[in-house]
Amino acid sequence: MAVPKFWRQIPALYNLEGSVCGCGALAFPPREVCPKCHAVGLKPHRFRGKGTVETFTIIRTPTTDPEGENIEVPARSIPYVMGIIRLEEGPRLTAQIVDARPEDVRIGDRVELVFRKLLEKGPKGVIQYGYKFRPV
Amino acid sequence: MRKVAIIGVGMTPFGQLWDRSLISLAVEAGAKAIHDAGITHKDVGVLYGGTMSSGLFSGQEHLASMFADHSGFDHIPSVRVEAACASGGLALRQAYIDVASGAHDIAVVGGVEKMTDLGIYPVTKVLSTAADAERESSLGVTFPGIYAMMARLHMHKYHTTEEQLAMVAVKNHAHAIHNPHAQFRRAITVDQVMGSVKIADPLKLLDASPVSDGGAALVLADEKTARSQSDTPVWIAGSGHATDTIALHDREDMLSMRSTVYAARDAFRQAGLSPKDIGMAELHDCFTIAELLALEDLGFVDRGASGSFIEQGQAHIGGSLPINPSGGLKAKGHPVGASGIAQAIESVLQLRGDAGLRNTGAEIALTQNVGGSGGTAVVHIFRR
């Protein structure tokens, strides 16, 4: 397993590091070209990790076999909630919503960043960590 | 640009075709289309083929060469096109541009997918590659999950009901009963949809198109060739293609695919037509919510009015605007790369009046083929 694939995502996945353009436009994940003014040379920008649920779903059929070796960790806890979250600074992202019963999640819920395990690549493979969100 | 017509169509049955290989499906569809057009292999100048992920589904890439070789063509150029579930529709558009430009007079364009060689988890994984791998799928959201988030938002904003979503599936199954190539030729009820197993709330198994194998192909010709070869040419009156963000969360309005809006704008402009001129449409109902969003993005109904449009029966054959008379992706089946071509085939059969009990009497047809959650859309308008 090639480790750089996971290593290079650490700033975005651990610290919600996106980008900011000279024009003020924010982006997450970081972009090479400003989505507003098309300038290059954007600088890193760390998001605070507070936001609001704009829509969500309860996943009952995952993309990896819960009994398998290579697993996206959410698959272990079927059903699990995935949502689209509007960060306070503006951009949205897709993330798992944890520490809540699926039936209790609502559009408009306030959520905050938590650091959790995302992926396990077999008993000898890489473990990937990153962002999830929980109700405030 | 020269005028271009479809002069031949051919497709395999869609379904779980365990005895058929990827390439055999592609070759059968192409051979049927060539036969239907009344031409021979040596008349064909170029091949185009759409497939989403033959590499991940079947372990086979370099399909452009394989299409030409196994179909028995001698060294003609061949192009494989990929745009997720819009691969077929985009292959059609690229072949159209090729013939319209004058590069070749006759093109065969096909679409194919062989999905049932994989189990449910790997299939779900392959389909999720149509989303943003690092920012959507690898974090745990499935492809049905992305459409489910659109469905929940539509229900929240417009009070669309789960029953109205179910009615899309019920309608498309009712249409497929009369389609000999359809995967599911049986009626279902709203109660059956509502009671089917949940896959990603609020979507249930019967809100989703199936995992399918199948191939479909068309023969395109320039105006001079078409008029000499065919008594029933179907003209490509408009062709549009546009993109949107690959990740759903990056769209300002998550209930509109701007790709569909702009592709439709360009297709209508080229054809000199508007939504009220369309007699029937084949829309990309990979999930029931997708048909509702398409009705709104194409301008057939106002924002938020698609649920009641379906509930009133206006999208049935015999209604004011029949949608998916073929049975759609939902009931005809959705071998992803083939679906965009199969939409065009249904349009041709309808405009020729060859659709049997599905005949709508339409004179102008529209197709909308979507890749991923809307990252690509291709819209075509056909007329007699």
Side-chain angles (χ1 to χ4, degrees):
Chain A
M1 178 54 59
V3 173
K5 174 179 175 180
F6 303 97
W7 167 79
R8 68 175 180 257
Q9 293 186 61
I10 284 176
L13 285 177
Y14 287 19
N15 296 325
L16 280 191
E17 190 176 289
S19 55
V20 60
C21 176
C23 78
L26 297 167
F28 182 83
R31 285 185 175 246
E32 305 296 328
V33 176
C34 174
K36 286 253 161 37
C37 75
H38 311 120
V40 295
L42 310 190
K43 296 203 162 44
H45 177 89
R46 187 168 172 170
F47 290 85
R48 290 190 297 273
K50 306 271 189 205
T52 306
V53 176
E54 292 208 346
T55 184
F56 67 96
T57 181
I58 304 169
I59 305 282
R60 297 169 192 274
T61 304
T63 58
T64 51
D65 182 351
E67 309 293 321
E69 282 199 341
N70 295 323
I71 188 165
E72 283 156 10
V73 170
R76 286 249 173 75
S77 49
I78 294 169
Y80 60 92
V81 180
M82 294 296 303
I84 290 181
I85 292 151
R86 168 83 75 180
L87 298 171
E88 284 179 348
E89 296 93 334
R92 295 199 204 95
L93 52 73
T94 298
Q96 188 183 353
I97 297 169
V98 294
D99 299 350
R101 293 191 307 173
E103 59 271 27
D104 291 342
V105 177
R106 296 284 180 274
I107 290 175
D109 284 355
R110 300 274 304 147
V111 290
E112 66 182 8
L113 175 70
V114 285
F115 181 75
R116 294 289 168 90
K117 191 191 284 185
L118 294 178
L119 191 75
E120 284 177 14
K121 286 282 184 186
K124 293 180 181 168
V126 169
I127 296 177
Q128 187 177 25
Y129 295 90
Y131 55 81
K132 297 185 182 183
F133 283 74
R134 69 178 173 204
V136 175
Chain B
M1 296 270 276
R2 304 191 295 179
K3 278 183 75 174
V4 176
I6 298 172
I7 62 167
V9 301
M11 66 186 284
T12 70
F14 283 5
Q16 298 199 1
L17 311 177
W18 294 334
D19 56 337
R20 300 297 303 276
S21 69
L22 170 75
I23 198 67
S24 78
L25 293 167
V27 169
E28 178 187 331
K32 283 178 169 171
I34 288 169
H35 177 78
D36 184 51
I39 60 168
T40 65
H41 272 59
K42 65 179 187 333
D43 299 320
V44 178
V46 63
L47 298 182
Y48 282 82
T51 175
M52 172 186 171
S53 200
S54 57
L56 295 174
F57 283 126
S58 307
Q60 179 69 60
E61 300 289 16
H62 203 186
L63 281 188
S65 164
M66 208 164 180
F67 287 143
D69 175 12
H70 284 251
S71 299
F73 288 104
D74 294 329
H75 315 300
I76 65 170
S78 176
V79 183
R80 179 256 178 100
V81 176
E82 188 274 315
C85 328
S87 298
L90 189 55
L92 167 57
R93 177 171 158 82
Q94 298 310 119
Y96 163 70
I97 291 170
D98 184 312
V99 175
S101 75
H104 298 95
D105 290 340
I106 295 186
V108 173
V109 52
V112 67
E113 214 75 58
K114 175 73 198 177
M115 300 171 73
T116 66
D117 281 351
L118 295 182
I120 182 63
Y121 295 115
V123 164
T124 309
K125 186 83 186 168
V126 174
L127 292 173
S128 77
T129 63
D132 185 323
E134 288 190 0
R135 294 295 167 259
E136 291 181 309
S137 34
S138 73
L139 300 175
V141 72
T142 60
F143 204 62
I146 293 172
Y147 275 91
M149 291 196 287
M150 300 181 202
R152 187 179 301 278
L153 197 55
H154 205 270
M155 290 163 59
H156 179 79
K157 186 168 181 185
Y158 297 119
H159 308 292
T160 303
T161 64
E162 290 185 49
E163 286 79 4
Q164 288 173 332
L165 291 170
M167 287 170 197
V168 173
V170 170
K171 167 181 68 72
N172 292 346
H173 270 253
H175 289 170
I177 289 170
H178 305 298
N179 186 345
H181 292 102
Q183 183 164 357
F184 299 126
R185 299 186 65 188
R186 59 173 183 269
I188 57 171
T189 65
V190 169
D191 285 345
Q192 282 175 307
V193 180
M194 296 297 290
S196 63
V197 62
K198 289 179 177 177
I199 50 174
D201 305 32
L203 298 182
K204 295 159 281 288
L205 184 64
L206 292 181
D207 283 299
S209 54
V211 171
S212 315
D213 306 323
L218 309 164
V219 177
L220 306 190
D222 69 287
E223 182 171 13
K224 184 160 166 273
T225 308
R227 291 198 190 281
S228 68
Q229 279 292 333
S230 176
D231 297 329
T232 54
V234 167
W235 302 98
I236 299 176
S239 174
H241 168 211
T243 52
D244 199 344
T245 63
I246 186 159
L248 175 64
H249 59 237
D250 280 330
R251 293 182 200 153
E252 197 159 304
D253 179 356
M254 294 191 286
L255 291 178
S256 173
M257 297 173 188
R258 306 313 285 175
S259 51
T260 294
V261 171
Y262 293 127
R265 176 198 64 189
D266 292 349
F268 278 121
R269 188 178 290 165
Q270 182 187 354
L273 298 170
S274 71
K276 64 174 170 24
D277 298 314
I278 301 299
M280 59 135 289
E282 287 278 310
L283 307 184
H284 194 92
D285 59 327
C286 52
F287 298 94
T288 49
I289 180 63
E291 184 169 316
L292 297 191
L293 297 180
L295 283 165
E296 297 174 14
D297 278 335
L298 291 163
F300 291 133
V301 302
D302 291 337
R303 293 272 161 210
S306 53
S308 53
F309 185 80
I310 295 291
E311 187 167 1
Q312 291 158 7
Q314 300 198 53
H316 279 78
I317 293 172
S320 63
L321 178 62
I323 302 294
N324 288 322
S326 71
L329 280 47
K330 172 68 197 81
K332 180 172 78 261
H334 184 26
V336 282
S339 284
I341 301 293
Q343 291 178 324
I345 290 178
E346 179 68 10
S347 301
V348 169
L349 295 178
Q350 290 281 345
L351 298 182
R352 286 181 186 170
D354 285 344
L357 291 171
R358 309 192 308 284
N359 271 335
T360 58
E363 298 192 357
I364 300 173
L366 178 145
T367 60
Q368 176 238 19
N369 190 200
V370 171
S373 63
T376 295
V378 182
V379 172
H380 281 102
I381 297 171
F382 305 97
R383 64 190 311 168
R384 287 195 280 210

